[in-house]
Amino acid sequence: MSMATYAKRFGLVAVSGSIYVGAVYLGIQLYGGERKGQQAMLGGEDGNKTTSYVFDPRRTTTFQKIAYSYDDEIAKDEFVMGINLMRRALLYFHATGNVLEVG
């Protein structure tokens, strides 16, 4: 391959990568807000503070508050990532017989 072909490919990869990084940054800025004060701080064995959601007593309360709207909230993310198409493809090519889906 000639050097011009490599330069074109590098340019395409660089532009595509820049668009991807920009889209991820924009998504984090729009949808990834600061969530300070929602984490339980626990003292580790070495004295350092560690964060744990598992032992936070407010965890189940939070689950109950967001459970009714969770599917609606993540529907856009699943659409953008193509998860619904992947599910459909997996079912079409790999699932046979009677299938019971349990949520």
Side-chain angles (χ1 to χ4, degrees):
M1 286 187 171
S2 69
M3 197 59 143
T5 304
Y6 286 121
K8 286 180 185 178
R9 286 187 180 177
F10 177 75
L12 180 63
V13 169
V15 169
S16 301
S18 298
I19 291 171
Y20 174 75
V21 169
V24 168
Y25 176 76
L26 184 63
I28 290 172
Q29 291 300 316
L30 290 175
Y31 300 113
E34 292 285 330
R35 293 187 176 103
K36 294 180 181 176
Q38 294 182 358
Q39 300 173 353
M41 295 298 287
L42 304 172
E45 292 178 9
D46 56 356
N48 292 334
K49 294 286 184 181
T50 58
T51 303
S52 173
Y53 286 109
V54 174
F55 298 110
D56 188 358
R58 299 169 294 176
R59 184 175 64 126
T60 56
T61 306
T62 303
F63 288 156
Q64 294 301 324
K65 282 196 300 189
I66 66 172
Y68 73 94
S69 64
Y70 180 76
D71 287 335
D72 295 334
E73 290 178 14
I74 66 168
K76 188 180 350 174
D77 297 331
E78 288 184 351
F79 176 75
V80 170
M81 289 186 287
I83 291 177
N84 291 329
L85 290 174
M86 287 188 280
R87 281 188 191 129
R88 220 175 279 152
L90 284 170
L91 288 173
Y92 181 76
F93 292 114
H94 299 288
T96 58
N98 297 325
V99 178
L100 172 64
E101 181 180 344
V102 179

